[in-house]
Structure formats: structure tokens, C-alpha cells
Amino acid sequence: MSDAYLTLDKLTLAYGDTVAVKDLDLTIAKGELVALLGPSGCGKTTTMRSIAGLLAPASGRITLDGTEITRVSANKRNVGLVFQSYALFPHLTVYENVAFGLRLKGIGGKDLDTKVTSGIKSVGLAKFADRKPVELSGGQQQRVALARSMVMEPKVLLLDEPLSNLDARLRLEMRAELQRVQKETGVTMIFVTHDQIEALALADRIVVMLNGGIEQIGTPEEIYNKPVSAFVADFVGFENVFALENGKLATSTTSVELSGPAPQAAKGLAWRPRMVILGSGPFQGTVRGTSFAGNTREYLLDTPLGPIKAEVDAELPTHAIGSTHAFDLPLAAAAPLSRYR
Ligand SMILES: Nc1ncnc2c1ncn2[C@@H]1O[C@H](COP(=O)(O)OP(=O)(O)OP(=O)(O)O)[C@@H](O)[C@H]1O
Ligand SMILES: [Mg+2]
């Protein structure tokens, strides 16, 4: 990991007696785009609020750019925050919305105009400067919210599910836009999402959270290919996840010998549906369901190990529901999990 720019050190965050985040450690480098990924209620927004200074930690420290800011008030941190509902001022034009925070800071005249104009341009809205928010699409409004935060030149820009109000196509566009603006300006960005595809597509690093703690931190490739726990494996699409006990695959009803020695220290093994070999192997499964997905076809098999999902090339002959087939869970393809829980 490169130099620490933003550090969360043993951060515990609570609402009254309810602890929402416990002993969280996280170090982020300058210019990184980090995604916080996790299910509803895992503490993503709470973590963001503490970085922004909207929630004082119960314990722990926050350091930004060499200065401890744990108790520094929100307006003195130079941290930008963009929420899912971007709350533009409806009566102000795009230009005035973007200028608002700068004016509050006492910036005016030519300096203000330069910053606002380049901010609006950087999100591709130069032609819309005189429009009001109601005259813009959702994606355009979102870009105004982004420009409004960016012109403040924050040390860290926090985005809490900024794309979740957008339809699928706009979301893709905005994703690319965010990534471009971030790379061009070099701003350090933390991005909250519960969409794993979005996190994989955008982030330099992903922080997977669960129950107020961190399950795994890694590059998108690491998270996707080397999940450390059953939760992360399941979250990134390994749909066949098993505990390992005494070198055997353990299911709720049975335990099954592996074709070879299990990886050292593994507590579980996980296979994506496309890693399952259908048509040969030591196990038998009966087709319970099938779904066509364009290039591939997915089968849900009833097996002695419980339900198994297998994905095969859609051009192969289809298997009827109720038919029984051999299959294999190849050991070499399995992702070893260091935690099963
Ligand atoms: N104002 C509050 N008062 C009491 N508890 C709260 C408050 N805000 C959040 N919580 C609790 O803290 C925990 C973490 O909430 P948080 O909003 O950080 O989740 P999240 O990861 O952002 O979820 P989502 O994906 O649904 O936005 C949850 O259990 C939640 O119920
Ligand atoms: Mg949230």
C-alpha cells in the first residue's frame, strides 16, 4: 500500500447504545478511488458520515493529509459529500447551484467564474449552465451535484450511492463519467454502493463491509477471484460455497470426500457456476431448473451436496428437467476461503 492519506484507526461509531461500526481500520492513498461495498445496514453511510464530520466517533481516530481530524467540525475538514438524493436548489440555475458553496467561502468575481465554469465543463454540462434543475434529466442533476462538490476542491470526496436514483443506462454513463472526472482531477474518492458490479467496474480498491466491520479489502481482481470468506464469495457470485471440515466438503446433511488434498488452512471452498463441470465427474445431480442467459445456460441441480448451480455454453444440447447427470467440482478451480461463516 502506498502512502496513507486518509486513515481510519480503530474507529467505533454508535447511535446511542447501538454500535453501527466496530474497530474499523482503513488506510486510503491520495488519489485512490475506493468503493465501500456491502449489504444494507452494514455501516457504509455511518462510516461516510464520520469521515465527513457529521457523526463523532465513540472511539478511534481519523487522520487526513497528516492532520488528525477526529474532532474537527464538518465545515473545517474540506471533505465533500454527495448523497443519493442530491438536493439541488430548485430555484437556482446550474451555474448558481455550483457557485453556491464557493460564494459561502467568500470567493467571488473572476475567480468564482473560472472555478464554476470549469467545474460545469468537467461534468459535460457547459451548455446547461442557465437551466434550472427541473429542466435536467436525473443524470444531469447528478452531474450538477458532482460539480458542486468538486469545485470546493475537497481533500476527499465522499459519494453515498450517488447513482442509485438513475436508470440502468444512465447509471452506466455516470459511472464512466465519475471515473473520468476522478482520474482527471486526481481527487481521492470514496464511493458507497451495494452493487458489486459497480464496485468492480469503478474502484481501484474495494472494501467489503458486513455487520459494521470489514470482511475484505482488495483490488477488484482480488475480491472477484480470491474472496476470503463465504460471505464475500457469495457476494461476488460464487454460488456454490461449502465449508471444509477435516478435509471434506461439509453440507448441512452430509460430508463429501474431495478428489485430492484440500488447500492448506482453507475453511471453505467456492465455485462459480461456470467452474462446475457438467457431464462428467464423481457426483450425480438431477436438473431441477434451467434458465437461458444468452451465451450460457444455467442449471440448478439437486445433488447429495444440496443445490448446485452449473453454467454451460448455451450451444450445448439442453438437459431436460428431471434428468440426472454426472458433474464435478474441480478442486483446481475452487477458491479457497480462509473463513467460513
Ligand atoms: N440515526 C440512526 N439511529 C440509530 N441507528 C441508526 C441510525 N442510522 C443508522 N443506524 C443503524 O446503524 C447501522 C448502519 O447503518 P448505515 O446507514 O450505516 O447502513 P448502510 O450500510 O449505509 O446501509 P444502506 O445500504 O441501507 O444504506 C444499521 O443497523 C442502522 O439501523
Ligand atoms: Mg447507506
Side-chain angles (χ1 to χ4, degrees), residues 15 18 20 38-47 49 160-161 194:
Y15 298 97
T18 314
S40 186
C42 70
K44 305 181 296 294
T45 295
T46 302
T47 303
R49 294 186 64 214
D160 195 350
E161 309 226 23
H194 46 242

Side-chain angles (χ1 to χ4, degrees), residues 25-77:
D25 288 320
L26 179 62
T27 301
I28 292 174
K30 193 173 170 127
E32 257 196 307
L33 202 178
V34 171
L36 295 189
L37 178 67
S40 186
C42 70
K44 305 181 296 294
T45 295
T46 302
T47 303
M48 298 285 257
R49 294 186 64 214
S50 76
I51 298 170
L54 302 175
L55 179 69
S59 61
R61 282 159 49 97
I62 305 174
T63 311
L64 176 60
D65 196 11
T67 308
E68 183 178 349
I69 57 163
T70 318
R71 308 278 160 204
V72 172
S73 68
N75 59 357
K76 299 227 167 67
R77 289 189 181 198

Side-chain angles (χ1 to χ4, degrees), residues 74 207 260 331:
V207 177
L331 201 50

Side-chain angles (χ1 to χ4, degrees), residues 12-13 26 29 56 88 105 114 137 145 154 166 179 182 185 230 233 243 273 289 302 310 314 336-337:
T12 294
L13 306 169
L26 179 62
L88 301 175
K105 255 169 94 179
T114 309
S137 73
L166 307 178
Q179 209 169 26
Q182 197 265 341
T185 60
D302 272 333
L337 309 176

